[in-house]
């Protein structure tokens, strides 16, 4: 499938979701899926503290290599720790549909939202290499429902059947986004697959029912998805980032605010949404970590991010974005070929000033031999973005661990308040730490933003995952693609 380079609108069509049952094991295919986002912490047990989600898609389960697992660290006044309440979820866990099988990749993608509006956050987990009745590597998505006791029940949110012929190797669930702005259609889930994007609207219930399903299968193979309310109607609008096409760095970027349209001055592989300039409108940030395919035409050496400011009319197809790189004034470091700046991305208000900050992962940073770096670019109501930016590495004073070759710190990034003090924590993963067992850091929030002082490092072994390699705690992010 090729992307729509003309910029003409592409329609969505409705379908009925068929809740399927896992039928057979899957084997990791040659062409990998991208799972871009780290799940935002969510309050799964309603105690007022958000809980940290640590995906481990490479975890071995009951002798099944790469079946995958998700570890949840429940938040508290003291934050999270490996010694506090912890829950490990697999497809062999009680109440979780299916069976852990070799290469399923349970936890490849994760997302959180209170889907059924019962006051408890719910967790969505993608298994893009799951074999189903639809075929090998057809993929599946599991919804684990929050409750006073935490995550105890689950249902499948399977791909609509028969929408585009064969679903063989479709890798449904390779990325997931969820956003709840209110009841009914104001709650939505977006799911990436090779053939397109599935958009499921509320109302949702813990028994697995939901509202209308829309299916977009006329864009290119989808790498990542996100959601944001760009036209301020309360209904989350999808952002679709496709695979690389048309001899450009990154892929095509589509928005849908009723119809799907291409952003003509854009390319990238991941996206995030939030109000970066504090004007009340949702802005779009896109990560384009590739070096230019054609210098001067696309991309930027070392990677870039692109920012579109929202308005009362949303974001126009031909709107020009603001470009930032490591050479932008105020941004630490300098751009060098193959850095991968923009290889992970999240947006959130870290310092409470009403303007959302942009967190950018550069997991392939060449100046430290791909040990990786994470940069925070503060949101600004006035003036140019970049001023006041700051970075973290494993060599930053107070950060546990040491920067080592190919750690890839910054594989994924996320923001969420896990100790209930109103100051969000920053979460950073490094997929290839310790022979790809992986690690995740939690940076405490302060009134001025996250700090390295008091930061905590969680390794696979510290949360009970004991295999010696390949666990990938924190997830792969875009590492298989960049």
């Amino acid at each position: 499938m090729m992307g729509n380079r003309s910029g003409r609108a592409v329609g969505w069509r409705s379908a009925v979701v068929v809740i399927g049952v896992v039928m057979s094991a899957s084997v990791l295919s040659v062409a990998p899926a991208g799972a871009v986002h780290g799940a935002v912490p969510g309050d799964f047990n309603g105690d007022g503290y958000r809980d940290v989600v640590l995906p481990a898609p490479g975890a071995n389960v009951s002798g099944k290599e790469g079946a995958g697992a998700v570890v949840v660290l429940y938040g508290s006044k003291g934050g999270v720790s490996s010694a506090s309440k912890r829950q490990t979820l697999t497809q062999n866990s009680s109440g979780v549909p299916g069976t852990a099988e070799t290469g399923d990749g349970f936890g490849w993608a994760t997302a959180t939202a209170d889907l059924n509006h019962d006051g408890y956050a719910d967790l969505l987990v993608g298994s893009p290499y799951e074999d189903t009745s639809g075929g090998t590597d057809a993929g599946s998505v599991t919804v684990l429902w929050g409750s006073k006791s935490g995550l105890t029940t689950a249902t499948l949110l399977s791909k609509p059947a028969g929408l585009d012929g064969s679903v063989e190797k479709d890798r449904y669930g390779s990325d997931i986004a969820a956003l709840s702005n209110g009841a009914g259609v104001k709650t939505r889930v977006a799911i990436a697959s090779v053939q397109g994007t599935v958009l499921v609207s509320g109302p949702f219930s813990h028994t697995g029912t939901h509202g209308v399903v829309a299916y977009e299968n006329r864009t290119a193979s989808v790498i990542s998805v996100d959601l944001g309310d760009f036209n301020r109607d309360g209904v989350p609008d999808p952002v679709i980032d496709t695979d690389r096409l048309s001899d450009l760095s990154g892929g095509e970027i589509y928005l849908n605010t009723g119809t799907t349209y291409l952003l003509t001055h854009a390319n990238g592989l991941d996206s995030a949404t939030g109000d970066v300039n504090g004007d009340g409108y949702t802005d779009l940030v896109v990560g384009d970590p590739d070096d230019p395919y054609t210098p001067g035409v696309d991309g930027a050496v070392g990677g870039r991010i692109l920012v579109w400011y929202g308005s009362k009319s949303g974001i126009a197809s031909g709107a020009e974005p603001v470009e930032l790189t490591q050479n932008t004034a105020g941004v630490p470091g300098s751009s060098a070929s193959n850095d991968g700046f923009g290889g992970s991305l999240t947006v959130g208000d870290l310092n409470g000033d009403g303007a959302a900050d942009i967190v950018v992962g550069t997991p392939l940073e060449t100046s430290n031999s791909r040990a990786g770096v994470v940069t925070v670019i503060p949101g600004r109501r006035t003036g140019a973005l970049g001023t006041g930016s700051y970075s973290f590495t494993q060599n930053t004073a107070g950060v546990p661990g040491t920067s080592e070759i190919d750690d890839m710190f910054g594989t994924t990034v996320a923001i969420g308040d896990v100790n209930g003090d109103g100051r969000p924590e920053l979460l950073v993963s490094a997929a290839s730490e310790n022979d790809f067992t992986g690690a995740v850091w939690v940076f405490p929030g302060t009134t001025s933003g996250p700090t390295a002082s008091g930061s905590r490092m969680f390794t696979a072994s510290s949360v009970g995952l004991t295999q010696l390699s390949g666990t990938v705690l924190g997830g792969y992010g875009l590492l298989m693609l960049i």
Side-chain angles (χ1 to χ4, degrees):
M1 288 172 292
M2 296 300 295
N4 181 347
R5 297 301 301 180
S6 69
R8 67 182 183 273
V10 180
W12 289 70
R13 33 194 188 95
S14 296
V16 177
V17 163
V18 176
I19 303 301
V21 178
V22 174
M23 298 298 291
S24 60
S26 63
V27 178
L28 196 66
S29 66
V30 174
V36 175
H37 306 104
V40 174
D43 186 1
F44 302 124
N45 60 358
D47 64 356
Y49 303 103
R50 293 187 177 227
D51 311 310
V52 171
V53 179
L54 304 179
N60 300 338
V61 180
S62 300
K64 303 298 184 181
E65 184 176 353
V70 174
V71 178
V72 176
L73 302 179
Y74 284 86
S76 68
K77 186 176 181 179
V80 292
S81 72
S82 56
S84 61
K85 183 178 179 182
R86 185 176 80 212
Q87 184 178 19
T88 301
L89 296 155
T90 73
Q91 289 179 296
N92 283 352
S93 297
S94 176
V96 178
T99 303
E101 297 161 320
T102 299
D104 281 350
F106 181 80
W108 193 278
T110 54
T112 57
D114 183 1
L115 297 179
N116 57 354
H117 298 279
D118 62 355
Y120 303 102
D122 308 304
L123 174 63
L124 296 100
V125 180
S127 307
Y129 295 100
E130 181 90 42
D131 294 352
T132 75
S133 57
T136 302
D137 296 346
S140 68
V141 174
T142 303
V143 182
L144 295 113
W145 299 98
S147 70
K148 187 176 181 179
S149 302
L151 300 168
T152 58
T153 62
T155 58
L156 282 175
L157 187 63
S158 291
K159 181 183 176 180
L163 288 178
D164 194 30
S166 172
V167 292
E168 183 88 359
K169 297 189 183 299
D170 189 42
R171 300 196 291 275
Y172 173 73
S174 57
D175 197 34
I176 308 171
L179 181 61
S180 179
N181 286 339
V185 297
K186 293 185 178 181
T187 295
R188 277 181 163 178
V189 175
I191 304 164
S193 72
V194 168
Q195 297 188 79
T197 304
V198 174
L199 187 68
V200 186
S201 297
F204 292 86
S205 79
H206 73 279
T207 61
T209 63
H210 49 74
V212 173
V213 176
Y215 184 67
E216 175 52 75
N217 66 342
R218 285 174 284 178
T219 59
S221 299
V222 179
I223 294 299
S224 66
V225 289
D226 213 320
L227 292 162
D229 182 10
F230 296 106
N231 57 1
R232 298 187 73 182
D233 63 357
V235 178
D237 306 310
V239 183
I240 303 169
D241 309 318
T242 77
D243 203 352
R244 297 177 179 92
L245 292 171
S246 305
D247 297 335
L248 294 174
S249 65
E252 297 174 322
I253 311 298
Y254 292 86
L255 297 188
N256 179 292
T257 54
T259 57
T260 303
Y261 60 94
L262 174 71
L263 292 180
T264 57
H265 297 288
N267 41 297
L269 294 173
D270 61 327
S271 57
T273 66
D275 186 4
V276 174
N277 61 356
D279 65 353
Y281 297 100
T282 299
D283 307 314
L284 173 63
V285 185
V286 168
D288 183 18
D290 290 349
D291 278 19
Y293 187 92
T294 306
V297 175
D298 68 308
V301 172
R304 62 179 181 170
I305 65 169
L306 303 170
V307 181
W308 286 262
Y309 291 109
S311 68
K312 63 181 179 181
S313 56
I315 298 172
S317 174
E320 291 276 0
V322 175
E323 180 183 280
L324 294 98
T325 71
Q326 290 185 89
N327 286 342
T328 299
V331 176
S334 60
S335 298
S337 184
N338 299 317
D339 276 348
F341 181 77
S344 63
L345 197 63
T346 192
V347 173
D349 188 358
L350 290 165
N351 58 6
D353 65 355
D357 308 303
I358 304 169
V359 181
V360 185
T362 311
L364 306 183
E365 174 66 38
T366 55
S367 68
N368 63 10
S369 301
R370 299 174 302 281
V373 62
V374 169
T375 302
V376 178
I377 301 174
R380 296 177 58 85
R381 294 180 183 273
T382 60
L385 289 171
T387 302
S389 299
Y390 52 96
S391 294
F392 297 106
T393 71
Q394 287 189 69
N395 285 342
T396 300
V399 177
T402 302
S403 291
E404 299 168 314
I405 294 172
D406 290 332
D407 276 350
M408 300 181 190
F409 181 83
T411 301
T412 64
V413 289
I415 294 170
D417 181 9
V418 300
N419 61 1
D421 65 358
R423 300 187 290 269
E425 277 66 51
L426 171 63
L427 288 76
V428 177
S429 77
S432 59
E433 176 81 16
N434 295 334
D435 199 15
F436 272 93
T437 57
V440 175
W441 288 256
V442 178
F443 292 80
T446 73
T447 55
S448 58
T451 177
S453 178
S455 56
R456 296 177 178 178
M457 176 185 180
F458 297 93
T459 63
S461 61
S462 75
V463 296
L465 302 174
T466 58
Q467 69 195 65
L468 300 179
S469 64
T471 315
V472 198
L473 190 73
Y476 287 101
L478 282 174
L479 288 189
M480 288 194 171
L481 296 170
I482 61 175

